[in-house]
């Protein structure tokens, strides 16, 4: 049976679209059971609806605090009984219920543990890489724990930082790697080939 995924996002949803494309191409044995957006206008919700995927907005500012927001969010997620929760450009801090430990995956646009943590998302990451003068960047797929970008690493791929790069040109190169490794990592999960030992992820 295909892996059921709940996809959480806050923005344009190109990451979601890539997963849908891989499912349709037959190289990702999964289905998107629902998409939950933390912004009403997130275009990712529209993409989901275009593919007849249930799409719901759960907005942080509608709740008194992060705990109440997370309670509402997980209540929605659980309705769809996903095997894996996928963060696809999701910009709010999640709590991790015990039964979802090592069942939430995120893609980050840098080589963790560099250029990650609170405030390091989207273009901020690429600006920081360029300002630091790093010669390599890349993409990281990791399991999610209670802190930003700190859970066990599943897969990484590097790209060169080139002379004359702007945040946009670097983002483009990094996102091409994200589009490669995120579906691969999820497919390994779907095949039951990932085992987490402490913070080390073993691939069988
Ligand atoms: C992706 O590039 C992803 O790496 C980044 O947000 C973008 C989402 O794009 N995620 C983070 O920075 C997480 N810390 P999308 O909304 O078009 O899928």
């Amino acid at each position: 049976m295909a892996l059921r995924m709940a996809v959480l996002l806050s923005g344009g949803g190109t990451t979601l679209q890539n997963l849908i494309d891989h499912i349709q191409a037959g190289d990702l044995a999964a289905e998107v059971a629902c998409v939950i957006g933390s912004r009403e206008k997130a275009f990712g919700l529209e993409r989901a609806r275009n593919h007849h995927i249930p799409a719901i907005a759960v907005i942080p500012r509608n709740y008194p605090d992060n705990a109440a927001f997370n309670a509402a969010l997980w209540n929605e997620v659980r309705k769809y009984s996903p095997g894996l929760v996928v963060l696809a450009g999701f910009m709010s801090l999640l709590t991790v219920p015990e039964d979802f430990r090592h069942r939430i995956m995120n893609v980050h646009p840098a080589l963790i543990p560099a250029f990650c943590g609170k405030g390091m998302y989207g273009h901020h990451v690429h600006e920081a890489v360029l300002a630091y003068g790093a010669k390599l960047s890349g993409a990281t797929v990791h399991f999610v724990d209670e802190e930003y970008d700190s859970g066990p690493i599943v897969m990484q791929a590097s790209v060169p930082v080139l002379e004359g790069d702007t945040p946009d040109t670097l983002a483009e190169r990094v996102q091409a790697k994200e589009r490669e490794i995120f579906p691969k990592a999820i497919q390994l999960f779907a095949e039951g080939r990932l085992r987490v030992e402490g913070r080390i992820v073993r691939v069988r």
Side-chain angles (χ1 to χ4, degrees):
M1 214 174 66
L3 172 70
R4 285 172 66 76
M5 300 189 292
V7 176
L8 275 46
L9 52 73
S10 306
T14 57
T15 309
L16 167 69
Q17 187 64 54
N18 178 52
L19 297 178
I20 292 171
D21 292 347
H22 278 270
I23 291 168
Q24 289 179 344
D27 55 24
L28 177 56
E31 62 177 295
V32 182
C34 68
V35 172
I36 300 176
S38 68
R39 286 175 47 231
E40 194 89 54
K41 295 212 167 81
F43 185 65
L45 289 171
E46 183 108 10
R47 287 184 200 265
R49 293 186 188 114
N50 290 341
H51 287 88
H52 311 289
I53 297 165
I56 312 119
V58 181
I59 319 280
R61 68 161 189 280
N62 292 348
Y63 300 90
D65 54 27
N66 194 254
F69 163 65
N70 268 276
L73 184 75
W74 283 106
N75 185 44
E76 281 303 323
V77 168
R78 286 178 195 286
K79 286 182 189 167
Y80 296 90
S81 311
L84 182 70
V85 173
V86 172
L87 306 192
F90 184 70
M91 302 307 176
S92 299
L93 187 58
L94 271 189
T95 57
V96 178
E98 198 42 48
D99 55 326
F100 277 92
R101 192 157 300 281
H102 305 149
R103 288 206 294 137
I104 310 170
M105 260 190 209
N106 181 44
V107 66
H108 180 75
L111 294 175
I112 290 174
F115 305 107
C116 64
K118 191 166 166 49
M120 277 289 181
Y121 58 88
H123 66 98
H124 299 293
V125 177
H126 308 298
E127 282 164 11
V129 168
L130 291 174
Y132 199 87
K135 302 300 185 195
L136 277 179
S137 191
T140 301
V141 176
H142 65 95
F143 286 117
V144 171
D145 64 13
E146 302 273 357
E147 285 166 59
Y148 283 108
D149 305 322
S150 81
I153 290 171
V154 179
M155 204 176 275
Q156 291 185 300
S158 63
V159 302
V161 177
L162 300 178
E163 199 62 46
D165 259 342
T166 64
D168 282 348
T169 59
L170 179 57
E172 214 170 288
R173 201 172 305 121
V174 168
Q175 282 167 358
K177 285 295 178 199
E178 292 181 27
R179 287 194 293 272
E180 263 178 56
I181 67 172
F182 209 11
K184 276 189 191 155
I186 295 171
Q187 179 62 23
L188 288 174
F189 182 92
E191 292 172 5
R193 291 172 60 193
L194 300 180
R195 200 177 66 236
V196 185
E197 294 173 9
R199 60 163 300 113
I200 310 298
V201 180
R202 309 258 177 227
V203 182
R204 285 183 278 196

